[in-house]
Amino acid sequence: MHVMSRCRSCGHANREESTFCTRCGIRLAEIPAAGLIRCGVLAQEEAFEVSQRTTLVGRDKSNDIVLDDEHASSRHALISFAGDVFWIEDLNSRNGTFVNGEQIRERRILHEGYLIKIGNAILKFVLR
């Protein structure tokens, strides 16, 4: 009898020795501890956890990270973990998503210390 390991992304049962899910291809390793720290001159420092395979960011209360900012869209950006790296993508927001001062047009890899601007919020990406 084989011991099975469930994929955190699609729920498929894989053999314990598997490195990748045989259904969706996602790496079966644990998601590294990461977060966003809200910073800026006028902002009160606030920390948000990024602990899921996908993390929605925006103004709407249904998001994983809620920004109380009228310049952020309801569903503004998506942070995901795939292929051993974190990614960020804009979800067709009204004011765009910026990484290190550059507006992103497609999915972008996030590295430790990168600054993300969503609406008026400046968020620093950190690995813990």
Side-chain angles (χ1 to χ4, degrees):
M1 180 175 169
H2 294 285
V3 176
M4 304 305 258
S5 175
R6 290 236 175 248
C7 175
R8 291 178 178 262
S9 181
C10 72
H12 181 69
N14 295 277
R15 289 186 179 195
E16 186 176 27
E17 66 271 10
S18 297
T19 305
F20 296 93
C21 177
T22 56
R23 178 185 289 161
C24 70
I26 294 290
R27 185 173 185 83
L28 295 173
E30 292 290 318
I31 299 170
L36 298 174
I37 298 173
R38 189 175 193 154
C39 49
V41 178
L42 299 176
Q44 184 175 353
E45 190 171 289
E46 188 175 6
F48 303 98
E49 191 174 330
V50 178
S51 61
Q52 304 172 74
R53 192 136 322 256
T54 59
T55 302
L56 283 168
V57 184
R59 194 179 67 247
D60 191 85
K61 302 287 186 218
S62 66
N63 288 295
D64 302 302
I65 296 176
V66 178
L67 300 175
D68 185 19
D69 182 339
E70 65 183 24
H71 297 285
S73 292
S74 295
R75 286 177 29 114
H76 197 104
L78 176 71
I79 297 173
S80 57
F81 180 77
D84 283 341
V85 294
F86 284 95
W87 299 84
I88 187 166
E89 61 186 289
D90 185 76
L91 298 176
N92 297 315
S93 67
R94 179 181 59 227
N95 294 316
T97 300
F98 296 79
V99 174
N100 292 336
E102 180 184 334
Q103 186 171 5
I104 60 171
R105 306 271 184 227
E106 55 189 37
R107 190 168 82 147
R108 172 88 47 96
I109 290 177
L110 284 175
H111 293 284
E112 171 82 21
Y114 274 20
L115 295 177
I116 302 162
K117 182 175 184 285
I118 295 176
N120 288 325
I122 305 292
L123 306 157
K124 182 177 183 179
F125 180 74
V126 294
L127 295 173
R128 300 178 183 174

